[in-house]
Amino acid sequence: MEPVTLHADGLRLVAWEQRHLPDLARIYADPLIERFLVMPLPWTGSARDRYVETQRRHWGGGNPRWAVEEDGVLVGSMALTKSFPGEMTITYVTAPWARGRGVAQRGIRAVVAFGFERCGARRIAWDAIVGNHASRLAALRTGFTVEGVSRGGVNQRGTSRDCWIGGMLPGGLRGPDDPPPHYAVLKRQAAFFTAPQPVLETGAAGLRLRALRESDLGDLAKACADERTQRFTTVPRGYTRADAEAWLALSRARRAEGTAVLYALADEHDRYGGSVQLSLGEPGEAEIGYQVAPWARGRGWATAAVRRVARLGFEDLALEKVDWRAVVGNEASRRVAEKAGFTVEGVRRGLRHGEDGRVDSWIGSLFPEDLG
Ligand SMILES: CC(C)(COP(=O)(O)OP(=O)(O)OC[C@H]1O[C@@H](n2cnc3c(N)ncnc32)[C@H](O)[C@@H]1OP(=O)(O)O)[C@@H](O)C(=O)NCCC(=O)NCCS
């Protein structure tokens, strides 16, 4: 296949030339490239010297490779690679100096149309290392479906990483005026999960909310081995430090995926005193869970922390509603929920409750106006 130039709403997608390479080197020096791309780095030596020639050979093998230009300036790259007959995989990069103004999505639309119409693809595949919310958003915005997580599915310079996988079938492309359902919620959440987790002040004396960290694990294990926590929550029975380590790893993975936010309660000495978690569900909805360590109980911290994290959910995660549930008889949890503004709606019989099977549970909900 000979190189083909594409025009994409103000962008020109052209074959690579030597004149592009100094700016391509600047793109490849960006920290996001090291974090989310799998290519060998640093980008020097023969990989760089032979780049233009290699890209030309890819075209010859039916694998298009474009430099993306805007007003003659390099602003990114786009590629299609045959993965098996009928399927091509798309990859894209936007230069740090051109992000957030639709370069990726304009390029993706042109390249996907080229793949379906000119290369005979019946499916365009997409993947991204879990946590690459900007790539995921550009894919969703243009009509890709994220189909799941391939665990350890990509080798990044010798390390296995989980990756999101997805794809598009012919007819699936979305135009600039046709965002997917709930796009505004997805975009707010992508912005939140891309940034460092903010520390939250609560208004309760001595209490701050921050990310869970390794130095909390001893206290976390003690708190979860507490008799009440064991009775009323789904934490593993006979809780040990290994369980605490697994929980920290899981909560970090869920934050990278953008499916949950965990906050540790920290006292004036920064000692761990409990945790609050929002687990995201349907778009605009989340369930809250919380526990306070025995040594931090009785100070109103659970209520203050639940209110603050729920407010974060409404303001920063575009939630419309937060759900709560507790095993029937867990009076302390119910009091916290009601003081925080939740309305207890009733009893749901036989809800799944960890290893205990099914137990009757109180359920309740909180809407933004309930926070007052
Ligand atoms: C992923 C990447 C290509 C996106 O490039 P981009 O040109 O900034 O993307 P777009 O401007 O087309 O963004 C698409 C949408 O996502 C939004 N978006 C992009 N980055 C975002 C972020 N960090 N947080 C929230 N929203 C973001 C854009 O505002 C846009 O939304 P809109 O249509 O409502 O305006 C770019 O971040 C990048 O080069 N990352 C490093 C390389 C990489 O990860 N490539 C993909 C490998 S799979």
Side-chain angles (χ1 to χ4, degrees):
M1 181 189 274
E2 283 301 310
V4 177
T5 296
L6 302 178
H7 296 270
D9 197 7
L11 303 176
R12 245 166 57 91
L13 280 63
V14 300
W16 287 95
E17 294 177 26
Q18 291 294 338
R19 66 185 169 88
H20 293 124
L21 298 196
D23 279 342
L24 185 60
R26 283 170 64 211
I27 293 176
Y28 283 163
D30 172 56
L32 272 193
I33 300 297
E34 182 171 1
R35 178 148 172 229
F36 290 129
L37 265 56
V38 299
M39 57 192 282
L41 287 173
W43 186 64
T44 50
S46 66
R48 182 176 168 164
D49 296 343
R50 297 205 196 127
Y51 189 77
V52 172
E53 171 55 26
T54 312
Q55 305 311 301
R56 197 172 304 131
R57 275 217 307 278
H58 278 308
W59 271 104
N63 297 309
R65 298 283 186 271
W66 290 276
V68 182
E69 292 181 350
E70 189 174 42
D71 301 326
V73 175
L74 186 73
V75 290
S77 76
M78 290 272 157
L80 285 174
T81 304
K82 286 188 283 188
S83 14
F84 56 78
E87 184 184 272
M88 301 186 93
T89 299
I90 189 168
T91 44
Y92 44 87
V93 173
T94 299
W97 51 89
R99 288 189 188 140
R101 40 179 227 247
V103 168
Q105 55 179 292
R106 284 180 281 160
I108 291 169
R109 287 191 190 98
V111 163
V112 163
F114 184 84
F116 285 136
E117 291 159 17
R118 303 280 294 276
C119 305
R122 295 188 297 278
R123 169 183 159 90
I124 310 281
W126 163 91
D127 61 63
I129 289 181
V130 169
N132 191 352
H133 291 276
S135 176
R136 179 187 165 107
L137 210 54
L140 289 168
R141 180 75 169 87
T142 47
F144 281 86
T145 300
V146 177
E147 293 156 343
V149 172
S150 174
R151 291 174 305 155
V154 68
N155 180 325
Q156 188 188 43
R157 297 182 286 279
T159 305
S160 297
R161 304 251 182 241
D162 294 351
C163 65
W164 284 313
I165 52 171
M168 192 193 300
L169 303 183
L173 203 53
R174 286 183 178 277
D177 302 323
D178 179 28
H182 312 294
Y183 182 66
V185 174
L186 300 174
K187 193 170 162 174
R188 284 277 289 286
Q189 294 183 350
F192 178 81
F193 286 111
T194 303
Q197 184 169 348
V199 172
L200 305 177
E201 301 297 333
T202 59
L207 173 64
R208 264 178 343 120
L209 303 175
R210 56 154 173 80
L212 188 69
R213 49 175 86 128
E214 274 81 6
S215 54
D216 295 327
L217 295 183
D219 279 333
L220 173 64
K222 260 187 245 155
C224 290
D226 162 65
E227 185 270 328
R228 260 167 186 258
T229 304
Q230 287 275 314
R231 178 147 48 107
F232 287 125
T233 74
T234 59
V235 301
R237 302 301 170 231
Y239 206 93
T240 63
R241 191 182 162 94
D243 293 314
E245 282 165 9
W247 174 243
L248 176 63
L250 181 67
S251 70
R252 284 181 175 165
R254 295 190 70 194
R255 182 176 159 77
E257 278 171 15
T259 53
V261 183
L262 178 76
Y263 269 102
L265 282 63
D267 69 11
E268 53 274 65
H269 307 293
D270 204 31
R271 182 179 182 194
Y272 174 87
S275 48
V276 180
Q277 177 168 251
L278 278 176
S279 301
L280 305 190
E282 293 296 309
E285 297 182 12
E287 183 173 310
I288 201 158
Y290 44 88
Q291 52 143 324
V292 173
W295 57 89
R297 288 181 189 153
R299 301 182 203 170
W301 281 10
T303 307
V306 165
R307 285 178 67 84
R308 185 63 192 90
V309 171
R311 185 148 68 80
L312 172 112
F314 294 132
E315 291 174 356
D316 294 3
L317 297 167
L319 298 182
E320 293 154 5
K321 175 177 186 251
V322 175
D323 288 309
W324 163 86
R325 66 154 123 166
V327 174
V328 168
N330 187 353
E331 297 287 351
S333 176
R334 179 175 177 145
R335 228 168 15 251
V336 167
E338 288 181 329
K339 272 169 63 191
F342 282 79
T343 296
V344 177
E345 296 162 342
V347 173
R348 290 217 41 200
R349 297 188 303 156
L351 277 186
R352 170 82 49 209
H353 188 74
E355 294 166 15
D356 300 345
R358 296 183 175 279
V359 297
D360 292 353
S361 299
W362 286 318
I363 56 159
S365 59
L366 182 84
F367 288 82
E369 57 273 23
D370 298 332
L371 283 178

